[in-house]
Each structure stands twice: as structure tokens, then as C-alpha cells.
Amino acid sequence: MAAAAANSAVRRLPFAAASSRRHAGAMYRPCSLSMNGCGGGGGEQAPLAICETRTLPAVSTAESAAAQLGSAVAALNADPPRCRSGIIRVEVPIREGGGEAIEWLQAQRAALLPRCFFSERAAGGHLGSTGADGSASPPFSGNGGSLRRPRRPPVRSVAGVGSAVHFRRSDPFAFRDWRSIKRFLSTDCPLIRAYGAIRFDATAIVSPEWKDYGSFYFVVPQVEFDELEEGSILAMTIAWDDSLLWTWQEAMDELQATMLQTEPSNSMESPVLQMEKQESQNSKVKEVLVEKKIKLMGQSQNGISPLFLKLNDPCPKANIISLNHVPTKASWDVSVVKALQMIKESDPELVKVVLARCNRYITDIGIDPIALLACLKGEGQNAYQFCIQPPDAPAFIGNTPEQLFHRKYLSISTEALAGTRARGVTKSEDIQIGQDLLFSPKENIEFTIVRESIRNKLENLCSKILVKPSKSLRKLPRVQHLSAQLSATIRNEDDEFDILKSLHPSPAVCGLPTEEARRFIEENGM
């Protein structure tokens, strides 16, 4: 799957039956229903009648922001729009601080609701998006950098719960699906975004953990916390479309249900503190597994939790009960030998293939995926972090330095990333290892394959291709890679879909030629 940057951490998402609505045998559990934006029979759909963002006065605390949104829900319910389709985002800026997005998400006690999280790769950059100014790397966005709107501080992280509208099919991601997502996005509403992922190979056999994802899955959250470089935003989004059999009233009822499910505990202690107390009273538990400190910012009347969960030690402490590999090491070795034999042929059908194994762990305690994602935060320098979790389904989390591409108007930027070495213990050792990577013949061949493959694909679809720098080092906390930056110009915005289909999956996560590598991976149980 492609997520955040269509990268190696997101390679093989199997499919499931597409969901439409409750009367159509929807896959979603009764705890959370929403409109499937890919419904409607696949015909050409009219533009939404309304697509707007309503910004309420800025406040000082998350508690005040939650109260403002509660009042906005009541106002919308009393005076609903008089049209058959639309999407409305209501947002409340929080002037200073307000906590981190991942802490807000951790504090929402709504395990059965869909959840999502995306963080920027580096401070001051852009969160991957698509639309009038977006990227094929989720999140999808209509952010076109419109000159009619004042410039916002860059978004650092986004956390969301609930589903204003989701997009999912069992068939491979197609142009009509891309158009369905874009229909709910607008240059005038740059923070209405669809977060999700696209499956690596939509024809491969489904494994159970991926059945709720379809061949692709995207969601526009109902309730969202945006962490900015300066301040933050608490927002809610409501979407409806009579042609998709999802009325305004159904959307409003679902939004209110989401708010109730994210409501903090009414007892004197927070749910997390109660869990700690139960753990400490259990004689079988020898120590508190995760030390937590709650920053309580008050209780809101409308049910959106203004809690921020501070984790002094965010890494879950768990014991591994069992571990197995799919395929086994022996089977994987056989596939490696077979691949090398094919690559070394005089006229090779296969130039490169990326072989991987699935590691399945069983632990003595359940691990909250958001807590695990927070544990990766220290590794997240110069990398994207993401979490996608459909309702009552396994979570898909990752930490990756790679971006598939980014579009601003007609300008495309992308990158080649390949070759890996560890970081050095000392500065001099780190420099030496980096030089070894830069001048390694083997790593240079692998990197050149990736870079030239991307360049050739851009040349088929774009003009003004530029590669600069052609090769440099990308240093991460634990490893360093070879990297190159590429830019190009597309003819029109619809070409964005062709860029996505051409670049995903990249040779760095699949191989070259793409179809031959994909077939080898499938046939050899990778």
C-alpha cells in the first residue's frame, strides 16, 4: 500500500469487498457508518453544491475550542443547508500550544471509530497532499495554495477520528476513484483532506489483517486536531450527498454519535488513570507497563475530549510470546537465489526485485497502535509518520523517509531513495560510512536503477525534467541513504493520476520492470 509517501513500509495491502451503506451490506460495524464516496454506480457525479470552511474565533485552550464546536453543531442542526450535497468544515484555532496531535489522538477513547494520523517529514515542509496543490502521497487534499486565502502556518501533524466520508473499493484504484476523492476537496478548503493508502498489488491474495482496507482506503475525518508550527486547530467536518444515499440528517446524526463516543469518562478519574489502577492492583503485573501523565484541560459539554495524554515513556513494554516468519527463512533464501539467477542472465527479464518477509508477533499484552506510533517519534526525524485504522480493524502504522511525489499547481517534485548504511558512532566514522555508501559500486547500481526509472516515467508524462542533486546522502537517526531530487511539469491537473499510477510502486519497494517484479513477488509468496 501507499501511505504518506507510497513507500516500502506499505507494500502489500490485500483487498476486501467495497462498502456502500447500511442497506447494502456495509462492511463497517454498527458503531460507525459513513458515506462511501466511491458509491453511486460509478457514473460521472456532479460537483458538490457546497464545499466550504467556516473558521470560528480563536480561543486559548482546547476546552474552549471543543465548546465552540459543540455550539456550531447545534447551530448547523437548527439551520441546515438547503442543498442535496456538500462538505463543510468548522474549525476553531487555538492560539498558543494546545498540545501535540498524537497526544490528542491517544486521549480519545474511541477504539471502534476509524482513526488516522499523519506527521510532516521535517519542520517547515508540507504535509503530503493532493488536489489543486497536492500529491499522490496520502493525505489527498484540495490545497492549491489559493491566493484568495491568507497563508496559514505549516501543518506539522494531523490526528482524526470518525469518518465524514470514506473511499474504498475491492477493485484496483482507478481514475474514477481518484475523481471521487477529488470531488470532496477544494482549493478553497485546503485542510479538508482524505488520509489513507493504496494497495501494493490489488490482485494478490488477501490476508486477514487487511480485509477491511479494500484495494484502497481513504477517509476524511469527522473530528480532527491539526498541530501547526504556531498554535493548533480543532475541527469537525460533515459531508452528505443524497445521490449516494447519505442525507444531511444522517451525516449530522453520525457526527453527533462520534462526538459522544469520544466523550471523556464522567468519573473523577480519567479512563487511562483507571487502567493504571487496575494494572497496579493485579498481582500478576509486576510493574506498571507504561508510565503516563495526564494533562487534563477540562471537560467539554459536547463530548469532544480536550484531554492530551502525555507519555513519559511512550514505548509499550511487552514480552514476545511467539514469533513466526512468512515465508520462512529457508523459503526466502530459495527465492533470493532464484531472483539472483534471473538478474544475472545475459538478457534478464528481471533487473531488480525487493523481497521481504512478514514477521508475526504475539505479545503478552495488547499494544495500543497510537502508543506504538508515539514510540517511533524519536525515529521520525526527517521522516513521515502515519497511522490508518478503519473502524474496529487492525491499524496500519509506519515511519518512512520516502515521498512518492508532491504537486503544486502543475509542478511535480519527487525523489529517488535507495542504498542503505548505518550511522557512525562518532562524527568521523559517520563521514567515512557515508563516503563508502556514496562510492559503493553495488549501491550506485541499485540507486541508479531507481533514479533513472523515475526519470523515464516522468519523461513519458511531463516536460522540463530536472534532476538536482543527482546523488547525495539522506541522513536519518539510525541509517543513511542515497538520494536524488527530481522535478517536472505536467500538462494539466488530471495528469496527476497518471503520475500516481506510473510511480507507484517504485523500484525501491517493488523492483524493475514493475510488472515482472510484482509477479515474481506474488509467485514466490513474498
Side-chain angles (χ1 to χ4, degrees), residues 69 89-92 101 104 116 127 155 157-162 190-195 219-227 232-237 304:
L69 289 185
R89 172 185 165 103
V90 182
E91 61 182 28
V92 182
W104 178 86
C116 64
L127 194 63
V155 177
S157 301
V158 171
V161 296
L191 293 184
I192 296 180
R193 299 176 173 184
Y195 303 90
V219 61
V220 176
Q222 285 176 314
V223 184
E224 180 179 312
F225 185 90
D226 301 333
E227 179 188 341
S232 54
I233 296 174
L234 188 63
M236 66 181 186
T237 301
I304 299 174

PDB file of all heavy atoms in Angstrom, residues 69 89-92 101 104 116 127 155 157-162 190-195 219-227 232-237 304:
ATOM      1  N   LEU A  69     -17.137  24.168  19.088  1.00  0.00           N
ATOM      2  CA  LEU A  69     -17.628  23.204  18.097  1.00  0.00           C
ATOM      3  C   LEU A  69     -18.983  22.645  18.504  1.00  0.00           C
ATOM      4  O   LEU A  69     -19.848  22.392  17.648  1.00  0.00           O
ATOM      5  CB  LEU A  69     -16.620  22.068  17.912  1.00  0.00           C
ATOM      6  CG  LEU A  69     -15.311  22.418  17.196  1.00  0.00           C
ATOM      7  CD1 LEU A  69     -14.472  21.157  16.993  1.00  0.00           C
ATOM      8  CD2 LEU A  69     -15.568  23.090  15.858  1.00  0.00           C
ATOM      9  N   ARG A  89     -16.448  22.150   6.722  1.00  0.00           N
ATOM     10  CA  ARG A  89     -15.500  22.034   7.825  1.00  0.00           C
ATOM     11  C   ARG A  89     -15.679  23.248   8.729  1.00  0.00           C
ATOM     12  O   ARG A  89     -15.679  24.386   8.259  1.00  0.00           O
ATOM     13  CB  ARG A  89     -14.072  21.979   7.297  1.00  0.00           C
ATOM     14  CG  ARG A  89     -12.987  22.049   8.389  1.00  0.00           C
ATOM     15  CD  ARG A  89     -11.607  22.109   7.755  1.00  0.00           C
ATOM     16  NE  ARG A  89     -10.576  22.534   8.699  1.00  0.00           N
ATOM     17  CZ  ARG A  89      -9.707  21.715   9.291  1.00  0.00           C
ATOM     18  NH1 ARG A  89      -9.764  20.413   9.041  1.00  0.00           N
ATOM     19  NH2 ARG A  89      -8.789  22.188  10.124  1.00  0.00           N
ATOM     20  N   VAL A  90     -15.831  22.983  10.016  1.00  0.00           N
ATOM     21  CA  VAL A  90     -15.907  24.047  11.016  1.00  0.00           C
ATOM     22  C   VAL A  90     -14.672  23.911  11.895  1.00  0.00           C
ATOM     23  O   VAL A  90     -14.434  22.852  12.475  1.00  0.00           O
ATOM     24  CB  VAL A  90     -17.188  23.949  11.860  1.00  0.00           C
ATOM     25  CG1 VAL A  90     -17.242  25.098  12.862  1.00  0.00           C
ATOM     26  CG2 VAL A  90     -18.428  23.969  10.955  1.00  0.00           C
ATOM     27  N   GLU A  91     -13.883  24.980  12.002  1.00  0.00           N
ATOM     28  CA  GLU A  91     -12.616  24.897  12.718  1.00  0.00           C
ATOM     29  C   GLU A  91     -12.484  26.030  13.727  1.00  0.00           C
ATOM     30  O   GLU A  91     -12.999  27.131  13.528  1.00  0.00           O
ATOM     31  CB  GLU A  91     -11.445  24.925  11.740  1.00  0.00           C
ATOM     32  CG  GLU A  91     -11.367  26.189  10.904  1.00  0.00           C
ATOM     33  CD  GLU A  91     -10.223  26.167   9.906  1.00  0.00           C
ATOM     34  OE1 GLU A  91      -9.834  25.054   9.477  1.00  0.00           O
ATOM     35  OE2 GLU A  91      -9.721  27.251   9.545  1.00  0.00           O
ATOM     36  N   VAL A  92     -11.770  25.711  14.805  1.00  0.00           N
ATOM     37  CA  VAL A  92     -11.510  26.689  15.854  1.00  0.00           C
ATOM     38  C   VAL A  92     -10.002  26.755  16.077  1.00  0.00           C
ATOM     39  O   VAL A  92      -9.407  25.782  16.570  1.00  0.00           O
ATOM     40  CB  VAL A  92     -12.214  26.328  17.170  1.00  0.00           C
ATOM     41  CG1 VAL A  92     -11.958  27.407  18.220  1.00  0.00           C
ATOM     42  CG2 VAL A  92     -13.713  26.149  16.955  1.00  0.00           C
ATOM     43  N   ALA A 101      -0.626  16.594  18.325  1.00  0.00           N
ATOM     44  CA  ALA A 101      -1.721  15.859  17.687  1.00  0.00           C
ATOM     45  C   ALA A 101      -1.764  14.405  18.151  1.00  0.00           C
ATOM     46  O   ALA A 101      -2.834  13.845  18.397  1.00  0.00           O
ATOM     47  CB  ALA A 101      -1.584  15.929  16.168  1.00  0.00           C
ATOM     48  N   TRP A 104      -3.333  14.155  21.546  1.00  0.00           N
ATOM     49  CA  TRP A 104      -4.792  14.305  21.467  1.00  0.00           C
ATOM     50  C   TRP A 104      -5.438  13.002  21.002  1.00  0.00           C
ATOM     51  O   TRP A 104      -6.442  12.554  21.572  1.00  0.00           O
ATOM     52  CB  TRP A 104      -5.139  15.445  20.507  1.00  0.00           C
ATOM     53  CG  TRP A 104      -6.615  15.647  20.316  1.00  0.00           C
ATOM     54  CD1 TRP A 104      -7.454  16.389  21.085  1.00  0.00           C
ATOM     55  CD2 TRP A 104      -7.432  15.071  19.275  1.00  0.00           C
ATOM     56  NE1 TRP A 104      -8.745  16.328  20.591  1.00  0.00           N
ATOM     57  CE2 TRP A 104      -8.754  15.519  19.485  1.00  0.00           C
ATOM     58  CE3 TRP A 104      -7.174  14.235  18.196  1.00  0.00           C
ATOM     59  CZ2 TRP A 104      -9.817  15.167  18.648  1.00  0.00           C
ATOM     60  CZ3 TRP A 104      -8.221  13.868  17.368  1.00  0.00           C
ATOM     61  CH2 TRP A 104      -9.525  14.330  17.593  1.00  0.00           C
ATOM     62  N   CYS A 116      -6.895   8.172  12.245  1.00  0.00           N
ATOM     63  CA  CYS A 116      -5.792   8.405  11.330  1.00  0.00           C
ATOM     64  C   CYS A 116      -4.825   9.401  11.946  1.00  0.00           C
ATOM     65  O   CYS A 116      -5.192  10.210  12.801  1.00  0.00           O
ATOM     66  CB  CYS A 116      -6.277   8.896   9.969  1.00  0.00           C
ATOM     67  SG  CYS A 116      -7.092  10.507   9.998  1.00  0.00           S
ATOM     68  N   LEU A 127       2.752  18.866   4.401  1.00  0.00           N
ATOM     69  CA  LEU A 127       2.213  17.533   4.659  1.00  0.00           C
ATOM     70  C   LEU A 127       1.702  17.003   3.338  1.00  0.00           C
ATOM     71  O   LEU A 127       0.937  17.663   2.651  1.00  0.00           O
ATOM     72  CB  LEU A 127       1.071  17.620   5.671  1.00  0.00           C
ATOM     73  CG  LEU A 127       0.604  16.322   6.318  1.00  0.00           C
ATOM     74  CD1 LEU A 127       1.729  15.720   7.144  1.00  0.00           C
ATOM     75  CD2 LEU A 127      -0.587  16.594   7.210  1.00  0.00           C
ATOM     76  N   VAL A 155       1.317  22.920   8.540  1.00  0.00           N
ATOM     77  CA  VAL A 155       0.788  21.855   9.386  1.00  0.00           C
ATOM     78  C   VAL A 155       1.908  20.868   9.690  1.00  0.00           C
ATOM     79  O   VAL A 155       2.582  20.375   8.783  1.00  0.00           O
ATOM     80  CB  VAL A 155      -0.383  21.131   8.692  1.00  0.00           C
ATOM     81  CG1 VAL A 155      -0.870  19.969   9.546  1.00  0.00           C
ATOM     82  CG2 VAL A 155      -1.515  22.095   8.404  1.00  0.00           C
ATOM     83  N   SER A 157       1.402  18.074  12.115  1.00  0.00           N
ATOM     84  CA  SER A 157       0.787  16.761  12.310  1.00  0.00           C
ATOM     85  C   SER A 157      -0.720  16.911  12.309  1.00  0.00           C
ATOM     86  O   SER A 157      -1.247  17.966  12.672  1.00  0.00           O
ATOM     87  CB  SER A 157       1.224  16.126  13.641  1.00  0.00           C
ATOM     88  OG  SER A 157       2.618  15.964  13.702  1.00  0.00           O
ATOM     89  N   VAL A 158      -1.411  15.841  11.895  1.00  0.00           N
ATOM     90  CA  VAL A 158      -2.873  15.809  11.881  1.00  0.00           C
ATOM     91  C   VAL A 158      -3.328  14.509  12.516  1.00  0.00           C
ATOM     92  O   VAL A 158      -2.809  13.429  12.200  1.00  0.00           O
ATOM     93  CB  VAL A 158      -3.418  15.905  10.443  1.00  0.00           C
ATOM     94  CG1 VAL A 158      -4.919  15.660  10.422  1.00  0.00           C
ATOM     95  CG2 VAL A 158      -3.108  17.260   9.826  1.00  0.00           C
ATOM     96  N   ALA A 159      -4.296  14.593  13.431  1.00  0.00           N
ATOM     97  CA  ALA A 159      -4.923  13.413  14.024  1.00  0.00           C
ATOM     98  C   ALA A 159      -6.423  13.518  13.814  1.00  0.00           C
ATOM     99  O   ALA A 159      -6.996  14.597  13.975  1.00  0.00           O
ATOM    100  CB  ALA A 159      -4.593  13.322  15.512  1.00  0.00           C
ATOM    101  N   GLY A 160      -7.066  12.405  13.472  1.00  0.00           N
ATOM    102  CA  GLY A 160      -8.506  12.437  13.217  1.00  0.00           C
ATOM    103  C   GLY A 160      -9.198  11.194  13.719  1.00  0.00           C
ATOM    104  O   GLY A 160      -8.605  10.106  13.783  1.00  0.00           O
ATOM    105  N   VAL A 161     -10.477  11.350  14.078  1.00  0.00           N
ATOM    106  CA  VAL A 161     -11.335  10.224  14.445  1.00  0.00           C
ATOM    107  C   VAL A 161     -12.659  10.375  13.706  1.00  0.00           C
ATOM    108  O   VAL A 161     -13.069  11.473  13.343  1.00  0.00           O
ATOM    109  CB  VAL A 161     -11.582  10.149  15.967  1.00  0.00           C
ATOM    110  CG1 VAL A 161     -10.296   9.882  16.713  1.00  0.00           C
ATOM    111  CG2 VAL A 161     -12.228  11.426  16.481  1.00  0.00           C
ATOM    112  N   GLY A 162     -13.333   9.255  13.502  1.00  0.00           N
ATOM    113  CA  GLY A 162     -14.607   9.279  12.798  1.00  0.00           C
ATOM    114  C   GLY A 162     -14.416   9.414  11.295  1.00  0.00           C
ATOM    115  O   GLY A 162     -13.304   9.612  10.801  1.00  0.00           O
ATOM    116  N   PRO A 190      -8.289  24.150   2.076  1.00  0.00           N
ATOM    117  CA  PRO A 190      -7.032  23.396   1.992  1.00  0.00           C
ATOM    118  C   PRO A 190      -6.843  22.346   3.070  1.00  0.00           C
ATOM    119  O   PRO A 190      -6.037  21.436   2.892  1.00  0.00           O
ATOM    120  CB  PRO A 190      -5.962  24.495   2.103  1.00  0.00           C
ATOM    121  CG  PRO A 190      -6.646  25.629   2.793  1.00  0.00           C
ATOM    122  CD  PRO A 190      -8.073  25.583   2.331  1.00  0.00           C
ATOM    123  N   LEU A 191      -7.567  22.437   4.185  1.00  0.00           N
ATOM    124  CA  LEU A 191      -7.386  21.450   5.251  1.00  0.00           C
ATOM    125  C   LEU A 191      -8.451  20.363   5.252  1.00  0.00           C
ATOM    126  O   LEU A 191      -8.460  19.514   6.149  1.00  0.00           O
ATOM    127  CB  LEU A 191      -7.320  22.144   6.611  1.00  0.00           C
ATOM    128  CG  LEU A 191      -6.082  23.027   6.822  1.00  0.00           C
ATOM    129  CD1 LEU A 191      -6.051  23.589   8.239  1.00  0.00           C
ATOM    130  CD2 LEU A 191      -4.807  22.252   6.536  1.00  0.00           C
ATOM    131  N   ILE A 192      -9.343  20.361   4.283  1.00  0.00           N
ATOM    132  CA  ILE A 192     -10.205  19.190   4.083  1.00  0.00           C
ATOM    133  C   ILE A 192      -9.393  18.211   3.253  1.00  0.00           C
ATOM    134  O   ILE A 192      -9.162  18.415   2.062  1.00  0.00           O
ATOM    135  CB  ILE A 192     -11.524  19.548   3.384  1.00  0.00           C
ATOM    136  CG1 ILE A 192     -12.356  20.486   4.244  1.00  0.00           C
ATOM    137  CG2 ILE A 192     -12.318  18.278   3.082  1.00  0.00           C
ATOM    138  CD1 ILE A 192     -13.694  20.888   3.602  1.00  0.00           C
ATOM    139  N   ARG A 193      -8.961  17.143   3.882  1.00  0.00           N
ATOM    140  CA  ARG A 193      -8.064  16.189   3.245  1.00  0.00           C
ATOM    141  C   ARG A 193      -8.547  14.768   3.478  1.00  0.00           C
ATOM    142  O   ARG A 193      -9.181  14.483   4.479  1.00  0.00           O
ATOM    143  CB  ARG A 193      -6.638  16.335   3.794  1.00  0.00           C
ATOM    144  CG  ARG A 193      -6.036  17.708   3.558  1.00  0.00           C
ATOM    145  CD  ARG A 193      -4.669  17.828   4.191  1.00  0.00           C
ATOM    146  NE  ARG A 193      -4.025  19.070   3.836  1.00  0.00           N
ATOM    147  CZ  ARG A 193      -2.790  19.410   4.191  1.00  0.00           C
ATOM    148  NH1 ARG A 193      -2.075  18.562   4.923  1.00  0.00           N
ATOM    149  NH2 ARG A 193      -2.266  20.557   3.820  1.00  0.00           N
ATOM    150  N   ALA A 194      -8.204  13.898   2.542  1.00  0.00           N
ATOM    151  CA  ALA A 194      -8.513  12.474   2.677  1.00  0.00           C
ATOM    152  C   ALA A 194      -7.219  11.731   2.972  1.00  0.00           C
ATOM    153  O   ALA A 194      -6.265  11.807   2.199  1.00  0.00           O
ATOM    154  CB  ALA A 194      -9.164  11.941   1.405  1.00  0.00           C
ATOM    155  N   TYR A 195      -7.180  11.014   4.084  1.00  0.00           N
ATOM    156  CA  TYR A 195      -5.985  10.302   4.524  1.00  0.00           C
ATOM    157  C   TYR A 195      -6.172   8.806   4.283  1.00  0.00           C
ATOM    158  O   TYR A 195      -7.222   8.252   4.597  1.00  0.00           O
ATOM    159  CB  TYR A 195      -5.740  10.562   6.008  1.00  0.00           C
ATOM    160  CG  TYR A 195      -5.605  12.032   6.339  1.00  0.00           C
ATOM    161  CD1 TYR A 195      -6.723  12.794   6.670  1.00  0.00           C
ATOM    162  CD2 TYR A 195      -4.365  12.657   6.296  1.00  0.00           C
ATOM    163  CE1 TYR A 195      -6.604  14.147   6.955  1.00  0.00           C
ATOM    164  CE2 TYR A 195      -4.243  14.003   6.581  1.00  0.00           C
ATOM    165  CZ  TYR A 195      -5.363  14.746   6.910  1.00  0.00           C
ATOM    166  OH  TYR A 195      -5.239  16.084   7.188  1.00  0.00           O
ATOM    167  N   VAL A 219     -10.080   8.304   4.065  1.00  0.00           N
ATOM    168  CA  VAL A 219     -11.131   8.817   4.934  1.00  0.00           C
ATOM    169  C   VAL A 219     -10.900  10.299   5.183  1.00  0.00           C
ATOM    170  O   VAL A 219      -9.763  10.754   5.358  1.00  0.00           O
ATOM    171  CB  VAL A 219     -11.157   8.036   6.272  1.00  0.00           C
ATOM    172  CG1 VAL A 219      -9.842   8.166   7.022  1.00  0.00           C
ATOM    173  CG2 VAL A 219     -12.324   8.478   7.145  1.00  0.00           C
ATOM    174  N   VAL A 220     -11.977  11.075   5.176  1.00  0.00           N
ATOM    175  CA  VAL A 220     -11.974  12.455   5.658  1.00  0.00           C
ATOM    176  C   VAL A 220     -12.498  12.403   7.087  1.00  0.00           C
ATOM    177  O   VAL A 220     -13.654  12.028   7.306  1.00  0.00           O
ATOM    178  CB  VAL A 220     -12.862  13.362   4.793  1.00  0.00           C
ATOM    179  CG1 VAL A 220     -12.909  14.779   5.380  1.00  0.00           C
ATOM    180  CG2 VAL A 220     -12.363  13.399   3.352  1.00  0.00           C
ATOM    181  N   PRO A 221     -11.674  12.737   8.089  1.00  0.00           N
ATOM    182  CA  PRO A 221     -12.108  12.584   9.480  1.00  0.00           C
ATOM    183  C   PRO A 221     -13.287  13.495   9.820  1.00  0.00           C
ATOM    184  O   PRO A 221     -13.443  14.575   9.253  1.00  0.00           O
ATOM    185  CB  PRO A 221     -10.866  12.991  10.283  1.00  0.00           C
ATOM    186  CG  PRO A 221      -9.722  12.915   9.328  1.00  0.00           C
ATOM    187  CD  PRO A 221     -10.299  13.226   7.980  1.00  0.00           C
ATOM    188  N   GLN A 222     -14.106  13.024  10.773  1.00  0.00           N
ATOM    189  CA  GLN A 222     -15.186  13.863  11.287  1.00  0.00           C
ATOM    190  C   GLN A 222     -14.663  14.886  12.285  1.00  0.00           C
ATOM    191  O   GLN A 222     -15.066  16.042  12.272  1.00  0.00           O
ATOM    192  CB  GLN A 222     -16.252  12.992  11.962  1.00  0.00           C
ATOM    193  CG  GLN A 222     -17.142  12.229  11.000  1.00  0.00           C
ATOM    194  CD  GLN A 222     -18.101  11.334  11.748  1.00  0.00           C
ATOM    195  OE1 GLN A 222     -17.714  10.628  12.662  1.00  0.00           O
ATOM    196  NE2 GLN A 222     -19.357  11.349  11.360  1.00  0.00           N
ATOM    197  N   VAL A 223     -13.808  14.456  13.196  1.00  0.00           N
ATOM    198  CA  VAL A 223     -13.233  15.343  14.207  1.00  0.00           C
ATOM    199  C   VAL A 223     -11.716  15.268  14.057  1.00  0.00           C
ATOM    200  O   VAL A 223     -11.156  14.176  13.937  1.00  0.00           O
ATOM    201  CB  VAL A 223     -13.659  14.942  15.631  1.00  0.00           C
ATOM    202  CG1 VAL A 223     -13.122  15.946  16.645  1.00  0.00           C
ATOM    203  CG2 VAL A 223     -15.182  14.857  15.733  1.00  0.00           C
ATOM    204  N   GLU A 224     -11.063  16.423  14.075  1.00  0.00           N
ATOM    205  CA  GLU A 224      -9.654  16.479  13.697  1.00  0.00           C
ATOM    206  C   GLU A 224      -8.899  17.501  14.547  1.00  0.00           C
ATOM    207  O   GLU A 224      -9.433  18.567  14.871  1.00  0.00           O
ATOM    208  CB  GLU A 224      -9.584  16.863  12.217  1.00  0.00           C
ATOM    209  CG  GLU A 224      -8.222  16.973  11.617  1.00  0.00           C
ATOM    210  CD  GLU A 224      -8.313  17.341  10.143  1.00  0.00           C
ATOM    211  OE1 GLU A 224      -9.107  16.713   9.395  1.00  0.00           O
ATOM    212  OE2 GLU A 224      -7.597  18.270   9.740  1.00  0.00           O
ATOM    213  N   PHE A 225      -7.674  17.149  14.907  1.00  0.00           N
ATOM    214  CA  PHE A 225      -6.794  18.076  15.610  1.00  0.00           C
ATOM    215  C   PHE A 225      -5.576  18.304  14.740  1.00  0.00           C
ATOM    216  O   PHE A 225      -4.847  17.362  14.414  1.00  0.00           O
ATOM    217  CB  PHE A 225      -6.380  17.518  16.975  1.00  0.00           C
ATOM    218  CG  PHE A 225      -5.562  18.483  17.794  1.00  0.00           C
ATOM    219  CD1 PHE A 225      -6.186  19.379  18.652  1.00  0.00           C
ATOM    220  CD2 PHE A 225      -4.180  18.501  17.698  1.00  0.00           C
ATOM    221  CE1 PHE A 225      -5.431  20.278  19.409  1.00  0.00           C
ATOM    222  CE2 PHE A 225      -3.419  19.389  18.449  1.00  0.00           C
ATOM    223  CZ  PHE A 225      -4.053  20.284  19.308  1.00  0.00           C
ATOM    224  N   ASP A 226      -5.352  19.567  14.339  1.00  0.00           N
ATOM    225  CA  ASP A 226      -4.225  19.930  13.494  1.00  0.00           C
ATOM    226  C   ASP A 226      -3.176  20.649  14.324  1.00  0.00           C
ATOM    227  O   ASP A 226      -3.457  21.702  14.912  1.00  0.00           O
ATOM    228  CB  ASP A 226      -4.669  20.850  12.351  1.00  0.00           C
ATOM    229  CG  ASP A 226      -5.724  20.210  11.464  1.00  0.00           C
ATOM    230  OD1 ASP A 226      -5.740  18.972  11.380  1.00  0.00           O
ATOM    231  OD2 ASP A 226      -6.527  20.947  10.864  1.00  0.00           O
ATOM    232  N   GLU A 227      -1.996  20.079  14.375  1.00  0.00           N
ATOM    233  CA  GLU A 227      -0.880  20.693  15.086  1.00  0.00           C
ATOM    234  C   GLU A 227      -0.076  21.533  14.099  1.00  0.00           C
ATOM    235  O   GLU A 227       0.472  21.002  13.117  1.00  0.00           O
ATOM    236  CB  GLU A 227      -0.001  19.607  15.705  1.00  0.00           C
ATOM    237  CG  GLU A 227       1.212  20.113  16.448  1.00  0.00           C
ATOM    238  CD  GLU A 227       2.132  18.984  16.857  1.00  0.00           C
ATOM    239  OE1 GLU A 227       1.683  17.818  16.893  1.00  0.00           O
ATOM    240  OE2 GLU A 227       3.313  19.268  17.133  1.00  0.00           O
ATOM    241  N   SER A 232      -2.581  25.594  17.055  1.00  0.00           N
ATOM    242  CA  SER A 232      -3.234  24.375  16.610  1.00  0.00           C
ATOM    243  C   SER A 232      -4.673  24.690  16.216  1.00  0.00           C
ATOM    244  O   SER A 232      -5.151  25.810  16.388  1.00  0.00           O
ATOM    245  CB  SER A 232      -3.196  23.300  17.710  1.00  0.00           C
ATOM    246  OG  SER A 232      -3.732  23.812  18.921  1.00  0.00           O
ATOM    247  N   ILE A 233      -5.378  23.676  15.693  1.00  0.00           N
ATOM    248  CA  ILE A 233      -6.763  23.836  15.261  1.00  0.00           C
ATOM    249  C   ILE A 233      -7.543  22.593  15.678  1.00  0.00           C
ATOM    250  O   ILE A 233      -7.081  21.465  15.461  1.00  0.00           O
ATOM    251  CB  ILE A 233      -6.869  24.008  13.733  1.00  0.00           C
ATOM    252  CG1 ILE A 233      -6.185  25.304  13.273  1.00  0.00           C
ATOM    253  CG2 ILE A 233      -8.334  24.015  13.286  1.00  0.00           C
ATOM    254  CD1 ILE A 233      -6.124  25.450  11.763  1.00  0.00           C
ATOM    255  N   LEU A 234      -8.712  22.783  16.263  1.00  0.00           N
ATOM    256  CA  LEU A 234      -9.661  21.699  16.488  1.00  0.00           C
ATOM    257  C   LEU A 234     -10.797  21.893  15.503  1.00  0.00           C
ATOM    258  O   LEU A 234     -11.338  23.005  15.380  1.00  0.00           O
ATOM    259  CB  LEU A 234     -10.183  21.723  17.922  1.00  0.00           C
ATOM    260  CG  LEU A 234     -11.036  20.524  18.361  1.00  0.00           C
ATOM    261  CD1 LEU A 234     -10.234  19.225  18.320  1.00  0.00           C
ATOM    262  CD2 LEU A 234     -11.614  20.741  19.755  1.00  0.00           C
ATOM    263  N   ALA A 235     -11.154  20.843  14.765  1.00  0.00           N
ATOM    264  CA  ALA A 235     -12.119  20.998  13.673  1.00  0.00           C
ATOM    265  C   ALA A 235     -13.045  19.794  13.598  1.00  0.00           C
ATOM    266  O   ALA A 235     -12.737  18.708  14.092  1.00  0.00           O
ATOM    267  CB  ALA A 235     -11.397  21.183  12.337  1.00  0.00           C
ATOM    268  N   MET A 236     -14.192  19.998  12.951  1.00  0.00           N
ATOM    269  CA  MET A 236     -15.112  18.902  12.625  1.00  0.00           C
ATOM    270  C   MET A 236     -15.552  19.083  11.180  1.00  0.00           C
ATOM    271  O   MET A 236     -15.591  20.199  10.647  1.00  0.00           O
ATOM    272  CB  MET A 236     -16.318  18.913  13.555  1.00  0.00           C
ATOM    273  CG  MET A 236     -17.206  20.113  13.398  1.00  0.00           C
ATOM    274  SD  MET A 236     -18.608  20.084  14.551  1.00  0.00           S
ATOM    275  CE  MET A 236     -19.534  21.532  13.975  1.00  0.00           C
ATOM    276  N   THR A 237     -15.854  17.981  10.508  1.00  0.00           N
ATOM    277  CA  THR A 237     -16.267  18.010   9.107  1.00  0.00           C
ATOM    278  C   THR A 237     -17.510  17.165   8.929  1.00  0.00           C
ATOM    279  O   THR A 237     -17.591  16.050   9.455  1.00  0.00           O
ATOM    280  CB  THR A 237     -15.139  17.486   8.198  1.00  0.00           C
ATOM    281  OG1 THR A 237     -13.976  18.297   8.370  1.00  0.00           O
ATOM    282  CG2 THR A 237     -15.556  17.525   6.743  1.00  0.00           C
ATOM    283  N   ILE A 304     -16.398  16.143  22.774  1.00  0.00           N
ATOM    284  CA  ILE A 304     -15.063  16.048  22.204  1.00  0.00           C
ATOM    285  C   ILE A 304     -14.065  16.167  23.335  1.00  0.00           C
ATOM    286  O   ILE A 304     -14.089  17.115  24.095  1.00  0.00           O
ATOM    287  CB  ILE A 304     -14.826  17.160  21.166  1.00  0.00           C
ATOM    288  CG1 ILE A 304     -15.821  17.045  20.022  1.00  0.00           C
ATOM    289  CG2 ILE A 304     -13.403  17.101  20.633  1.00  0.00           C
ATOM    290  CD1 ILE A 304     -15.733  18.184  19.044  1.00  0.00           C
TER     291      ILE A 304
END
